[in-house]
Amino acid sequence: MARDPEAIGDVSWVELFVDLLFVFAFLAVTTLMGEHFSPLGLVQGALVVLLIWHCWTPCVWLGNVVHLDRGIMPPIMLGIAAALLVIGVAIPEAFTDRPGGLPGPLVLICGYLLIRAVTMVVLTFVSHRGEGGRRSVVAAWLIFITGGLVLLASALVPPLLPTTVDAALVQVALFAGALLIDSLILVVASRGGWRVVSPWHLAERHALIVLIALGETIISIGASEGLGVDRPVTSQLAVGAVLGITVVFALWWSYFDLAKVIIERARRHRPRDRRPGGCRVIVVSKRSPDRPRHHHGLDSIMYIM
């Protein structure tokens, strides 16, 4: 199931399917922010976007190490996709539980921790190498457990606080602290035995999630309040539609015609020294002439975090 380091355009159907669920979760954040239209609601929405991104990053990393459409991986990814769907449904209740059902904040957090735990288990099994690799794996698990406990506290502690304490601010602070702790995993992994096998796969996965997200955004604009419903077309409606599609086009253009091209040219013109096995590829750079390319890939993941 190991991935070919030099394979280009090797994104599987499983990864594309899971990306659809990620985009659904991203779009659900707009419902959360629409129901809490305030500076605090804006912060809450940004934190949930980061939480989803923290789910997406290890899934991409996992697909970079092994083929997700082979062996036991498709059933595992089906479980991740189901958890993502539950997360997307629970996002509008990420910080405020609605009566008459399961606790929304706890459902969201449990789904997140389940996805992170599954990807951590698989990455631990296939990625660690040598003593340094084992140390980085242990450190990553300790960080994950610590961040998970703080995240669970953000859902369980605020309802127990006295009325004199602003429970919403405490919840946001704990939520943000948990994500900050969790992000340290990438720092630890980049210095240990965990590595990116194929930078090309990483770049293509990032391009595809942007493509799907912007496509779903166009659908959301067309199906939003006032568009795609039984209402007369007004000048305000037309102007809003034009402005919306203009923003999407600008984002699309800036990524696919500017940023993506610049990155690919930079990668194409970097001198490389291929080692046996394809996993140790040296990238020549001004800052670190002997730095392994898989570390460059890890920096790419850390950058998009």
Side-chain angles (χ1 to χ4, degrees), residues 138-169:
V138 172
W141 273 101
L142 290 176
I143 292 171
F144 168 69
I145 293 172
T146 303
L149 291 175
V150 176
L151 197 59
L152 285 171
S154 71
L156 299 176
V157 171
L160 304 178
L161 296 175
T163 56
T164 55
V165 178
D166 192 334
L169 288 179

Side-chain angles (χ1 to χ4, degrees), residues 11-18 68-69 74:
V11 176
S12 67
W13 62 268
V14 175
E15 294 169 277
L16 294 176
F17 179 78
V18 174
L68 300 183
D69 57 345

Side-chain angles (χ1 to χ4, degrees), residues 17-299:
F17 179 78
V18 174
D19 274 356
L20 293 175
L21 277 301
F22 273 112
V23 171
F24 167 72
F26 280 123
L27 292 178
V29 178
T30 59
T31 303
L32 169 67
M33 298 176 69
E35 294 178 355
H36 303 83
F37 197 68
S38 64
L40 180 61
L42 179 63
V43 173
Q44 291 174 340
L47 290 176
V48 174
V49 169
L50 285 176
L51 180 134
I52 302 170
W53 198 253
H54 279 218
C55 281
W56 183 79
T57 301
C59 287
V60 173
W61 200 341
L62 182 61
N64 195 271
V65 176
V66 298
H67 289 279
L68 300 183
D69 57 345
R70 301 180 186 177
I72 197 176
M73 293 311 301
I76 292 176
M77 297 309 295
L78 174 60
I80 289 178
L84 278 170
L85 183 60
V86 173
I87 287 175
V89 173
I91 282 177
E93 301 181 56
F95 294 92
T96 304
D97 185 32
R98 295 172 180 172
L102 296 174
L106 200 57
V107 170
L108 173 71
I109 291 171
C110 288
Y112 167 78
L113 294 178
L114 175 63
I115 294 174
R116 291 303 309 269
V118 169
T119 55
M120 286 278 290
V121 168
V122 179
L123 285 171
T124 298
F125 181 74
V126 300
S127 294
H128 69 279
R129 296 289 187 275
E131 186 64 28
R134 286 192 289 270
R135 284 197 298 267
S136 68
V137 167
V138 172
W141 273 101
L142 290 176
I143 292 171
F144 168 69
I145 293 172
T146 303
L149 291 175
V150 176
L151 197 59
L152 285 171
S154 71
L156 299 176
V157 171
L160 304 178
L161 296 175
T163 56
T164 55
V165 178
D166 192 334
L169 288 179
V170 173
Q171 187 179 26
V172 167
L174 290 172
F175 203 99
L179 294 180
L180 180 62
I181 294 171
D182 193 58
S183 65
L184 296 177
I185 291 178
L186 291 173
V187 178
V188 172
S190 66
R191 297 177 179 178
W194 296 25
R195 64 184 184 274
V196 167
V197 175
S198 173
W200 296 107
H201 173 269
L202 175 66
E204 185 171 358
R205 289 285 279 114
H206 192 265
L208 287 173
I209 191 67
V210 173
L211 177 68
I212 298 172
L214 292 179
E216 291 289 342
T217 302
I218 295 174
I219 297 175
S220 296
I221 293 174
S224 62
E225 185 70 17
L227 292 175
V229 295
D230 188 18
R231 289 192 177 186
V233 178
T234 62
S235 58
Q236 293 86 349
L237 181 63
V239 170
V242 170
L243 290 177
I245 200 64
T246 301
V247 171
V248 174
F249 181 82
L251 292 173
W252 196 298
W253 189 7
S254 65
Y255 182 80
F256 287 101
D257 196 44
L258 296 176
K260 187 172 182 290
V261 173
I262 292 173
I263 293 172
E264 289 180 348
R265 285 180 179 175
R267 288 187 182 278
R268 190 179 303 117
H269 290 91
R270 282 180 179 271
R272 293 173 294 179
D273 177 23
R274 303 179 190 275
R275 299 282 184 89
C279 291
R280 300 284 295 181
V281 183
I282 304 303
V283 175
V284 177
S285 63
K286 292 182 180 180
R287 187 181 66 174
S288 180
D290 299 323
R291 198 176 188 201
R293 190 177 71 176
H294 66 261
H295 285 181
H296 179 72
L298 286 174
D299 287 346

